[in-house]
Each structure stands twice: as C-alpha cells, then as structure tokens.
Amino acid sequence: MDQILLEVTVVKEEILNLIKNASDEIALKNVRETHLSKKSKFASLSRYFKDLNKEERAIFGEKINQAAKEIDLAFKNKHDELFFAAYQERLAKEKIDLSLPGINYQVGRLNPLRKVEDEILNIFVSMGYEVYEGPDIESDYYNFERMNIPSDHPAREMQDSFYFNPALLLRTHTSPAQARMMDAKKGEPFKVVCPGKCYRRDDDDATHSHQFMQIEGLVVGHHISLADLKGTLETFLKAIFGEKREIRLRGSYFPFTEPSVEVDISCAHCLGKGCSLCKDSGYIEILGAGMVHPNVLRMSGYDPQEYSGFAFGVGIDRVAMLKYGISDIRDLYQNDLRLFNNFYQER
Ligand code: PHE
C-alpha cells in the first residue's frame, strides 16, 4: 500500500514539475493533454483500486483526489502566470511613442473661387433671387446678338473667344444667361443670379486668365430704377467686404445696358483716402452694371414701356483676389493647398 501511495506522489511530482517548466501556453497545453489523458500514467493509477480493500481504497482515493486537485491548481496558476507574462511582453512591444511625428493627413478645402461664389449666391438668395446656370458652350446668338452686340459691333473684339464653329463658342461672359432667363420667364418679372465660368482669348498674366468666373445678376420688373441697382450692389458689396467700405458708380459703356456703370469699392487699405494699393484713387473697380437696354428687353419679349430692369456682372476671381489678397489670378487655378491655407487668412 505504501508503495502505491508513493507512486501517486511520484507521478504527481513528475506532472507538477512539467507544469512548472512549461515555457508557454502551448507547452502547458501539451502537458495537460499527454499527462492527464485517459491513457496517461496518472489515469492508470486507478488500476490499483481492484487490489485494495475498502479502507485502503478510501485512503488511496483520497490521495488521488488530493493529487488531482494539486495538479489542477498548478495548471491554473501556471496558466495565469504565462498569460500575464505574455500580456506584459505584448504591452512592452506595443508601446506607442507619442513623441513621434504622426501621419499628416491633408484636409482639402474649397477653392477660394467656390467659397466666394457660395458667399455671393447666399447673399442674393437671401434677397429673394433665384439661381440659374447657363451653358458654358453658348451660341453666337445668345452670347452676342441677344446682348445687343451684332456681328459688326466693335465690342466683339474686346471679347474675342474660343469658337467651335462660327455659330458656337465658349461664352465670353455670363450675360447670355440673362436672355435665356428672360425667354424662360415669358414676360413675368423676376430676380436671378447666374454663376459660371467664362472664357476669353486673352493673355495669361497676373490679372488675366483665359478662363475666369462671373456671377451675372438680373432683375426685371415694373419701375426698376438705377437707385434699386445702387442699393442692391451696396448691400451686396458691404456684406462681402464689410460695412466700412463705400461704393462709387462711374459712367461706362456696355452694349446691353443703358445707362451703364462701372462700380468701384473704397480701397480696403486707405478706405478712400488714396494709397499705393489703389494707385492713389482711393477706389478699386469691382464690377460692371447698368439698366437693361431696351433692345435687350424687346428681343426677350418684354415691352420696355412697361418693364425695366438692371443687370450686373461681377468677377468672382476679382472678388476672391481682393478679399484674400491674392495678387496672381493663376494661383486660384493651381489647387495648391499650401497657398489656399494662406488665402484663408482674411484681410
Ligand atoms: N458682361 C459684362 C462683362 O463681362 C459685365 C456686365 C454684366 C456689365 C451685366 C453690365 C451688366 O464685362
């Protein structure tokens, strides 16, 4: 009997030793599988039961149970120990160095042209204007004829453009959208702003580009006067450039408006006193405008005796350049974020 009990202790110690020496979870699992299976040495100890009497069996059973409990506890402790060690190792390996420079994801921005366009449209929409975009590819008829610029008119030369054929071109201004809108409204009064790209065969330099953007404005109704035009443009320009700025109207000429005006805004730098920025004039030219020419109204089915209207065309590029202090129009078309981030430091 003593011999049998000793054997239990020996087998137990052997297993405890293996557990103790298991280097990782896989090794520990192997110990469990080989030394506690039905065919293991430990399991085979039960073969002695049949040779023992009742008392001896109780003692032997107790001994085996005790050994099993010890082995079980050893497994559990070893498992916890290995798990914790692996965890510590992973923590050490996965340590994040917060002082390392991170990956710099570039966040895009609206092109300043689009931002200014949105701002301008919002101002006019808040005054009850509709928004309409005419086509970039325009007919000679809408771009010139309907704007009171017949084929022999010298004003055509100023706006020489890119033609697809004698009747079709890239529009030189957003003004043809005026005629398209009047056609659509069929004699009803309305207020509209028409944004879009324009194209002219022009030198590309710091202030000229073969492609630029405009917003056309047109109001047609009863008793619309130059005072309405002035009040509207003053509201618009102050909203864009700030309350401190003054506007000034100068007589000008456009074939599709009569009278025509050039609208200036007081210089941001000297507020009208005169400085190098505004070439001592105190003012900077910002847009062209005027009362819709009776010929244009008539061609569009509006009786000039009954209806009048005003129109204006503002260069989005020009507004963006003044607003953000951009001196070269070409910068607006480069899409260089480093530049755009600077442009957003408003003056
Ligand atoms: N279409 C003119 C231009 O491109 C601007 C303008 C629009 C002038 C409407 C008067 C009225 O220069």
Side-chain angles (χ1 to χ4, degrees):
M1 171 72 181
D2 285 349
Q3 192 58 39
I4 296 175
L5 292 182
L6 185 66
E7 195 176 332
V8 175
T9 307
V10 169
V11 173
K12 180 190 80 178
E13 288 300 331
E14 203 178 301
I15 297 175
L16 288 181
N17 219 22
L18 286 168
I19 292 172
K20 202 174 117 201
N21 292 330
S23 56
D24 55 27
E25 298 242 33
I26 296 169
L28 186 67
K29 205 172 153 223
N30 277 340
V31 174
R32 184 187 280 275
E33 274 165 14
T34 42
H35 296 275
L36 288 184
S37 70
K38 277 187 185 144
K39 286 182 190 146
S40 67
K41 234 193 242 181
F42 187 74
S44 73
L45 289 171
S46 57
R47 70 184 183 276
Y48 292 122
F49 271 113
K50 61 180 183 337
D51 307 326
L52 302 173
N53 63 35
K54 203 178 164 199
E55 263 166 50
E56 285 170 335
R57 269 188 206 176
I59 296 167
F60 178 65
E62 176 62 25
K63 182 85 181 170
I64 293 234
N65 275 346
Q66 195 55 44
K69 263 190 208 157
E70 256 180 77
I71 291 169
D72 220 44
L73 188 69
F75 265 119
K76 199 178 160 308
N77 288 343
K78 186 69 186 177
H79 167 80
D80 289 354
E81 183 194 314
L82 287 173
F83 180 83
F84 188 68
Y87 180 65
Q88 289 296 331
E89 196 183 309
R90 230 176 58 222
L91 275 189
K93 241 194 250 159
E94 290 178 5
K95 206 148 122 197
I96 299 168
D97 183 352
L98 293 176
S99 68
L100 280 175
I103 300 164
N104 200 1
Y105 292 102
Q106 286 230 355
V107 180
R109 282 185 181 271
L110 282 184
N111 184 294
L113 289 170
R114 194 59 79 196
K115 191 164 178 264
V116 165
E117 181 188 29
D118 281 353
E119 269 177 52
I120 298 176
L121 293 181
N122 276 342
I123 293 165
F124 282 102
V125 167
S126 78
M127 293 197 271
Y129 283 65
E130 302 175 52
V131 179
Y132 163 71
E133 282 185 59
D136 283 26
I137 297 174
E138 191 50 282
S139 62
D140 177 277
Y141 174 68
Y142 275 107
N143 194 78
F144 292 126
E145 298 281 333
R146 289 285 299 272
M147 288 292 106
N148 204 28
I149 314 174
S151 58
D152 58 354
H153 200 289
R156 283 208 177 197
E157 202 168 297
M158 259 164 38
Q159 298 197 356
D160 204 1
S161 184
F162 301 104
Y163 283 85
F164 295 95
N165 59 47
L168 214 58
L169 71 156
L170 288 174
R171 66 175 168 195
T172 60
H173 50 178
T174 43
S175 299
Q178 288 189 30
R180 289 186 176 274
M181 200 60 194
M182 285 189 265
D183 284 356
K185 289 292 176 180
K186 298 193 168 41
E188 290 297 313
F190 66 91
K191 297 191 278 192
V192 72
V193 272
C194 316
K197 294 192 206 90
C198 309
Y199 311 82
R200 285 184 202 175
R201 195 181 57 81
D202 217 336
D203 290 335
D204 280 350
D205 61 28
T207 52
H208 295 88
S209 164
H210 62 277
Q211 181 199 302
F212 54 98
M213 294 187 77
Q214 286 189 334
I215 293 184
E216 193 81 11
L218 175 65
V219 174
V220 177
H222 302 285
H223 314 297
I224 303 290
S225 73
L226 196 67
D228 296 318
L229 171 64
K230 190 178 179 197
T232 303
L233 291 180
E234 190 162 5
T235 307
F236 154 54
L237 290 170
K238 287 192 170 195
I240 286 280
F241 289 105
E243 279 298 316
K244 283 202 198 123
R245 310 292 280 274
E246 295 299 330
I247 72 161
R248 177 173 87 172
L249 269 53
R250 273 183 297 116
S252 184
Y253 173 77
F254 297 104
F256 35 91
T257 47
E258 182 60 34
S260 301
V261 291
E262 210 87 55
V263 182
D264 300 341
I265 181 165
S266 58
C267 170
H269 191 59
C270 63
L271 290 177
K273 285 191 204 77
C275 68
S276 60
L277 203 75
C278 56
K279 298 188 189 92
D280 282 328
S281 70
Y283 283 84
I284 291 168
E285 185 190 318
I286 187 90
L287 57 85
M291 301 307 293
V292 181
H293 196 290
N295 286 352
V296 173
L297 285 173
R298 216 174 284 120
M299 278 188 276
S300 310
Y302 286 81
D303 179 359
Q305 299 297 326
E306 214 189 305
Y307 282 97
S308 57
F310 68 72
F312 59 88
V314 54
I316 299 177
D317 307 67
R318 189 155 178 75
V319 174
M321 287 169 81
L322 288 173
K323 202 169 157 69
Y324 298 115
I326 299 164
S327 53
D328 194 325
I329 191 170
R330 290 166 295 194
D331 287 343
L332 289 167
Y333 294 93
Q334 303 280 320
N335 278 343
D336 186 335
L337 267 179
R338 291 169 306 176
L339 280 173
F340 288 172
N341 287 338
N342 287 331
F343 293 165
Y344 281 86
Q345 320 280 316
E346 283 190 38
R347 300 204 148 188

Coordinates of all heavy atoms in Angstrom, one line a residue, residues 158-159 172-175 178 198 200 212 214-217 254 256-257 260-262 287-290 310-314, ligand 1:
M158 N -13.3 93.0 -78.2 CA -12.8 93.0 -76.8 C -13.0 91.6 -76.1 O -12.3 91.3 -75.2 CB -13.6 94.0 -76.0 CG -12.9 95.3 -75.7 SD -14.1 96.6 -75.2 CE -15.2 95.7 -74.1
Q159 N -14.0 90.9 -76.7 CA -14.3 89.6 -76.0 C -14.1 88.5 -77.0 O -14.8 87.5 -77.0 CB -15.8 89.6 -75.6 CG -16.1 90.7 -74.6 CD -17.5 90.4 -73.9 OE1 -18.2 89.5 -74.2 NE2 -17.8 91.2 -73.0
T172 N -18.3 84.2 -73.5 CA -17.3 85.2 -73.1 C -17.7 85.9 -71.8 O -16.9 86.6 -71.2 CB -17.1 86.2 -74.2 OG1 -18.3 86.9 -74.4 CG2 -16.6 85.6 -75.5
H173 N -18.9 85.8 -71.4 CA -19.4 86.3 -70.2 C -20.7 85.6 -69.8 O -21.2 84.7 -70.5 CB -19.7 87.9 -70.3 CG -20.5 88.2 -71.5 ND1 -21.0 89.5 -71.8 CD2 -21.1 87.5 -72.5 CE1 -21.7 89.6 -72.9 NE2 -21.8 88.3 -73.3
T174 N -21.2 85.8 -68.5 CA -22.4 85.1 -68.1 C -23.7 85.8 -68.6 O -24.8 85.3 -68.4 CB -22.4 85.0 -66.6 OG1 -22.0 86.2 -66.0 CG2 -21.5 83.8 -66.1
S175 N -23.5 87.0 -69.3 CA -24.7 87.7 -69.7 C -25.7 87.0 -70.6 O -26.9 87.2 -70.5 CB -24.2 89.0 -70.4 OG -23.4 89.8 -69.5
Q178 N -28.8 85.9 -69.1 CA -29.9 86.9 -68.9 C -31.0 86.6 -70.0 O -32.2 86.5 -69.6 CB -29.4 88.3 -69.2 CG -28.5 88.9 -68.2 CD -28.3 90.4 -68.5 OE1 -29.1 91.1 -69.1 NE2 -27.1 90.9 -68.1
C198 N -16.4 81.6 -67.6 CA -16.3 82.4 -68.8 C -15.0 82.2 -69.4 O -14.0 81.9 -68.8 CB -16.6 83.8 -68.6 SG -18.0 84.2 -67.6
R200 N -12.2 83.8 -72.5 CA -11.8 84.8 -73.5 C -10.4 84.5 -74.0 O -9.5 84.1 -73.2 CB -11.8 86.2 -72.9 CG -13.3 86.7 -72.7 CD -13.3 88.1 -72.2 NE -14.6 88.4 -71.5 CZ -14.9 89.5 -70.9 NH1 -14.1 90.5 -70.8 NH2 -16.1 89.6 -70.4
F212 N -12.2 82.4 -66.4 CA -12.4 83.0 -65.2 C -13.9 82.8 -64.8 O -14.6 82.1 -65.5 CB -12.1 84.5 -65.3 CG -12.8 85.2 -66.5 CD1 -14.0 86.0 -66.3 CD2 -12.3 85.1 -67.8 CE1 -14.6 86.6 -67.3 CE2 -12.9 85.7 -68.8 CZ -14.1 86.5 -68.6
Q214 N -17.7 84.4 -63.4 CA -18.6 85.6 -63.1 C -19.8 85.2 -62.4 O -20.2 84.0 -62.5 CB -18.9 86.2 -64.5 CG -17.8 87.0 -65.1 CD -18.4 87.8 -66.3 OE1 -19.4 87.4 -66.9 NE2 -17.7 88.8 -66.7
I215 N -20.5 86.2 -61.8 CA -21.9 86.0 -61.4 C -22.7 87.1 -62.1 O -22.3 88.3 -61.9 CB -22.1 86.0 -59.9 CG1 -21.4 84.8 -59.3 CG2 -23.6 86.0 -59.6 CD1 -21.6 84.6 -57.8
E216 N -23.6 86.7 -62.9 CA -24.5 87.7 -63.5 C -25.7 87.9 -62.6 O -26.2 87.0 -62.0 CB -25.0 87.1 -64.8 CG -25.6 88.0 -65.8 CD -24.6 88.8 -66.6 OE1 -23.4 88.5 -66.5 OE2 -25.0 89.8 -67.2
G217 N -26.1 89.2 -62.5 CA -27.4 89.4 -61.8 C -28.4 90.1 -62.7 O -28.0 90.9 -63.6
F254 N -21.6 99.5 -71.9 CA -21.8 98.1 -72.3 C -23.0 98.1 -73.3 O -23.9 98.8 -73.1 CB -22.2 97.2 -71.1 CG -21.2 97.1 -70.0 CD1 -21.3 97.8 -68.8 CD2 -20.0 96.3 -70.2 CE1 -20.4 97.8 -67.8 CE2 -19.1 96.3 -69.2 CZ -19.2 97.0 -68.0
F256 N -25.3 96.1 -73.8 CA -26.6 95.6 -73.3 C -27.2 96.3 -72.2 O -28.2 95.9 -71.6 CB -26.4 94.1 -73.0 CG -25.0 93.8 -72.4 CD1 -24.9 93.8 -71.0 CD2 -24.0 93.5 -73.2 CE1 -23.6 93.5 -70.5 CE2 -22.7 93.2 -72.7 CZ -22.5 93.2 -71.3
T257 N -26.5 97.4 -71.7 CA -27.1 98.2 -70.6 C -27.1 99.7 -71.0 O -26.2 100.1 -71.8 CB -26.4 98.0 -69.3 OG1 -25.0 98.1 -69.5 CG2 -26.7 96.7 -68.6
S260 N -24.9 102.7 -68.5 CA -24.0 101.6 -68.0 C -23.1 102.3 -66.9 O -22.8 103.4 -67.0 CB -23.2 101.0 -69.1 OG -23.9 100.5 -70.1
V261 N -22.8 101.5 -65.9 CA -21.8 102.0 -64.9 C -20.8 101.0 -64.6 O -20.9 99.8 -64.8 CB -22.6 102.3 -63.6 CG1 -23.5 103.5 -63.7 CG2 -23.4 101.1 -63.0
E262 N -19.7 101.5 -64.1 CA -18.6 100.7 -63.5 C -18.7 100.9 -62.0 O -18.9 102.1 -61.6 CB -17.3 101.2 -64.1 CG -16.2 100.2 -64.2 CD -16.3 99.5 -65.6 OE1 -16.2 100.2 -66.6 OE2 -16.3 98.3 -65.6
L287 N -17.0 95.8 -60.4 CA -17.9 95.1 -61.4 C -18.6 96.1 -62.4 O -18.5 97.3 -62.2 CB -19.0 94.4 -60.6 CG -19.9 95.2 -59.6 CD1 -21.1 95.8 -60.3 CD2 -20.5 94.2 -58.6
G288 N -19.2 95.5 -63.4 CA -19.9 96.3 -64.4 C -21.4 96.1 -64.2 O -21.8 95.0 -63.8
A289 N -22.1 97.2 -64.5 CA -23.6 97.0 -64.3 C -24.3 98.1 -65.2 O -23.7 98.9 -65.9 CB -23.9 97.2 -62.8
G290 N -25.6 98.1 -65.1 CA -26.4 99.1 -65.8 C -27.9 98.7 -65.8 O -28.3 97.7 -65.4
F310 N -32.4 95.9 -64.1 CA -31.0 96.2 -64.0 C -30.2 94.9 -64.1 O -30.8 93.8 -63.8 CB -30.6 97.0 -62.8 CG -30.8 96.3 -61.4 CD1 -29.9 95.3 -61.0 CD2 -31.8 96.7 -60.6 CE1 -30.1 94.7 -59.8 CE2 -32.0 96.1 -59.3 CZ -31.1 95.1 -58.9
A311 N -29.0 95.0 -64.5 CA -28.1 93.8 -64.6 C -26.7 94.2 -64.1 O -26.3 95.4 -64.1 CB -28.1 93.4 -66.0
F312 N -26.0 93.2 -63.6 CA -24.6 93.4 -63.2 C -23.9 92.1 -63.5 O -24.4 91.0 -63.5 CB -24.5 93.9 -61.8 CG -25.1 92.9 -60.8 CD1 -24.3 91.8 -60.3 CD2 -26.4 93.0 -60.4 CE1 -24.9 90.9 -59.4 CE2 -27.0 92.1 -59.5 CZ -26.2 91.0 -59.0
G313 N -22.6 92.3 -63.6 CA -21.7 91.1 -63.8 C -20.5 91.3 -62.9 O -19.7 92.3 -63.1
V314 N -20.3 90.4 -62.0 CA -19.2 90.6 -61.1 C -18.2 89.4 -61.3 O -18.6 88.2 -61.4 CB -19.7 90.7 -59.6 CG1 -20.6 89.5 -59.2 CG2 -18.5 90.7 -58.6
Ligands
PHE1 N1 -20.9 91.1 -69.2 C1 -20.1 92.2 -68.8 C2 -18.6 91.8 -68.8 O1 -18.3 90.6 -68.9 C3 -20.4 92.6 -67.4 C4 -21.8 93.2 -67.2 C5 -22.8 92.4 -66.9 C6 -22.0 94.6 -67.4 C7 -24.1 92.9 -66.8 C8 -23.2 95.1 -67.3 C9 -24.3 94.3 -66.9 O2 -17.7 92.6 -68.8

